[in-house]
Amino acid sequence: MATIKDAFSIGSKCTIVHDADLRGDITIGSGSVLHPRCSIVAYSGPIVIGSNCIIEETVIIVNRTKGVMRIGDNNHFQVGCRIESPQIGHSNIFNPRCRTSPLITIGDHCSIGAGCIVLPNPFPPPFSAPPPGEEEEKEGATPMQEEPAAAAAEEGDEADRDPSSPRPPSLPPKDPPLSTPAPLPAPTTMHIPSHSTLFLSSTASSPSDIRTRVWSGEGSGQGKAFHLKHLEYLREMVPRGNKLRMFV
Amino acid sequence: MSSSTPIRYSKSDYIETDTGNKVAKSCHIKGPSNIVLGGKTIIQPGVMIRGDLRRAGGSGPAVVIAVGKYCVMGENSVIRPPCKTYKGVFSYYPMKIGDYVSIGSNSIVEAASIGNGVEIGKNCIIGPLTIIKDNARIADNSIVGPGTIIPSLGEWGGSPARPTVTLPESTPELIEAKAKAYYARFQPE
């Protein structure tokens, strides 16, 4: 397994606490605040985070794809999030313990509700039945394993691997049934449009069963001011209670 | 399982204070001088407590997080004070946790105040500025929205958390006994 090479490019006025875990090729814009125990891991590809972002404790921002992961300005990642989206816009709020899949891109001014697991399909596809001509082999064929909702962040990877090993179109009846599952539909990236509010409905069957509402944009001035005041506070108070990590 | 079976912990994993607080060494406690533990409180491994987010504009000693006696903070939970803007001034507000409170593992608690005898389940998210009155119960995996006021003797659950049942009137005594018994059982190897 290749080791991760660190390459940090940290903007001015960033406040990064010394026990924040930064690994890989990371660029952080000016003015951002990283709380203790957050993790930014550019595992395969680089991560670029914009300016004035607030990344709270136990947040995990990980890039396991080869491409660049771009996160815009003024985002607020609250406690316990797990972010794998390759493209995130500006001024979003990620409420505690939400998770975004690598197949999701997020616009601006969105609010991802607490505990939501944002997947391109709320319900991952079940195994597909084999075509009628091959019914006889059915009992040996392994059905596609359905991912539990809690492991849903891995679903993007599984879906990536499977289409590359499709079943051959015709099967002689004497051969033992193949154990490779039927090909899944190609994974599609879903974009969360700007000004969306994602939340779990009270009748949600699982954390990935999410409802969406469009925000009118009312109160965005207050939101912006709140974010700026929050940043000012953090830049003043976090260094008093914590040792900072200095980047040259 | 008998209720007097000891729960063993390794003595090297915990720090015991004069007042009987048992704090795991692997906890991440920021701003420890701003945190008050009432006595005989157990803080399990991996808990993160943000005592460094204090009130803006204040100088000198301040209590950011005040915890009562016989409390238990479950593993890997995050306890942090809530923040808001009041009259144009942004600040983090002190958090008060009462006696006999147990917070389940992996919970994120940002409440403004938690009363006595409250039981918070596992994997809960308690939103900012919530007020949980005495002897309430929050079920496992619930998400309590910001600013919620949870009345006494109520059990709330789900996400967003809604009231489910009313707890019996014997709950305060039961919770107090349970908390004290837990502390008595929590013994070093």
Side-chain angles (χ1 to χ4, degrees):
Chain A
M1 183 151 56
T3 51
I4 306 174
K5 276 203 286 265
D6 291 343
F8 304 135
S9 169
I10 311 289
S12 60
K13 276 187 15 171
C14 276
T15 306
I16 299 180
V17 179
H18 80 285
D19 50 358
D21 179 19
L22 272 62
R23 283 187 255 170
D25 182 354
I26 299 173
T27 305
I28 303 186
S30 60
S32 291
V33 177
L34 270 65
H35 284 246
R37 308 271 310 155
C38 61
S39 298
I40 304 184
V41 182
Y43 196 73
S44 314
I47 297 181
V48 177
I49 300 182
S51 57
N52 293 325
C53 285
I54 300 176
I55 300 173
E56 294 188 352
E57 51 264 31
T58 65
V59 166
I60 300 173
I61 299 179
V62 55
N63 186 8
R64 293 187 291 173
T65 64
K66 294 269 179 344
V68 183
M69 179 188 219
R70 281 185 207 282
I71 298 180
D73 307 330
N74 297 313
N75 291 304
H76 188 177
F77 297 94
Q78 299 194 359
V79 181
C81 298
R82 186 189 167 95
I83 307 294
E84 293 192 54
S85 301
Q87 179 82 23
I88 297 180
H90 308 297
S91 307
N92 298 302
I93 297 179
F94 293 81
N95 284 294
R97 211 184 281 142
C98 63
R99 299 175 67 162
T100 62
S101 137
L103 297 171
I104 292 282
T105 58
I106 300 178
D108 307 333
H109 296 103
C110 294
S111 167
I112 313 291
C116 290
I117 299 180
V118 189
L119 299 172
N121 297 310
F123 306 103
F127 63 89
S128 46
E134 292 160 337
E135 294 277 333
E136 311 85 75
E137 283 102 58
K138 202 170 69 168
E139 77 274 358
T142 316
M144 182 62 219
Q145 298 299 326
E146 196 162 3
E147 303 287 358
E154 269 63 51
E155 187 246 8
D157 286 347
E158 300 282 6
D160 277 333
R161 284 203 291 273
D162 281 318
S164 60
S165 58
R167 256 163 126 191
S170 64
L171 219 61
K174 265 188 254 155
D175 278 3
L178 287 183
S179 55
T180 48
L184 288 175
T188 50
T189 311
M190 187 166 111
H191 179 70
I192 309 279
S194 296
H195 293 94
S196 306
T197 305
L198 273 64
F199 57 99
L200 292 176
S201 64
S202 49
T203 50
S205 55
S206 75
S208 51
D209 181 8
I210 295 175
R211 288 172 45 194
T212 315
R213 212 166 42 205
V214 177
W215 175 37
S216 60
E218 210 177 305
S220 60
Q222 274 114 324
K224 196 168 147 194
F226 181 85
H227 189 80
L228 287 174
K229 288 182 193 171
H230 195 169
L231 278 166
E232 252 176 60
Y233 171 93
L234 288 173
R235 284 185 202 127
E236 191 192 324
M237 297 305 256
V238 168
R240 285 198 212 172
N242 296 289
K243 210 167 77 172
L244 293 186
R245 184 168 165 183
M246 293 303 167
F247 292 88
V248 190
Chain B
M1 178 165 66
S2 149
S3 59
S4 57
T5 323
I7 299 168
R8 297 286 182 196
Y9 65 92
S10 165
K11 215 161 187 201
S12 57
D13 289 344
Y14 278 78
I15 298 173
E16 186 165 347
T17 70
D18 308 333
T19 45
N21 294 313
K22 296 184 178 171
V23 180
K25 287 186 185 168
S26 65
C27 289
H28 309 284
I29 303 194
K30 307 290 171 185
S33 53
N34 302 332
I35 300 172
V36 173
L37 298 179
K40 303 207 185 332
T41 287
I42 297 169
I43 303 193
Q44 296 198 334
V47 171
M48 160 157 279
I49 307 187
R50 299 298 305 269
D52 56 327
L53 299 170
R54 47 181 291 169
R55 200 165 213 156
S59 55
V63 177
V64 173
I65 299 180
V67 182
K69 54 188 196 218
Y70 291 102
C71 289
V72 179
M73 310 260 174
E75 288 186 31
N76 298 316
S77 44
V78 176
I79 320 275
R80 69 177 347 236
C83 59
K84 79 176 220 196
T85 305
Y86 179 67
K87 291 193 177 166
V89 176
F90 177 94
S91 178
Y92 274 81
Y93 286 85
M95 183 181 190
K96 179 143 188 6
I97 299 181
D99 303 331
Y100 316 117
V101 170
S102 83
I103 297 182
S105 55
N106 292 305
S107 290
I108 298 171
V109 179
E110 267 189 87
S113 96
I114 301 181
N116 300 324
V118 171
E119 279 191 326
I120 297 178
K122 301 183 276 210
N123 302 314
C124 287
I125 299 176
I126 311 286
L129 295 163
T130 53
I131 297 176
I132 306 181
K133 305 269 188 196
D134 295 347
N135 304 307
R137 230 184 136 245
I138 316 288
D140 293 347
N141 305 312
S142 44
I143 299 181
V144 180
T148 312
I149 300 180
I150 297 181
S152 298
L153 289 177
E155 172 164 354
W156 283 44
S159 61
R162 298 245 160 83
T164 52
V165 292
T166 309
L167 297 171
E169 266 139 39
S170 55
T171 306
E173 284 79 28
L174 283 172
I175 303 262
E176 183 180 329
K178 194 165 148 183
K180 288 184 169 167
Y182 187 88
Y183 184 82
R185 285 163 64 199
F186 197 76
Q187 287 160 22
E189 282 159 6

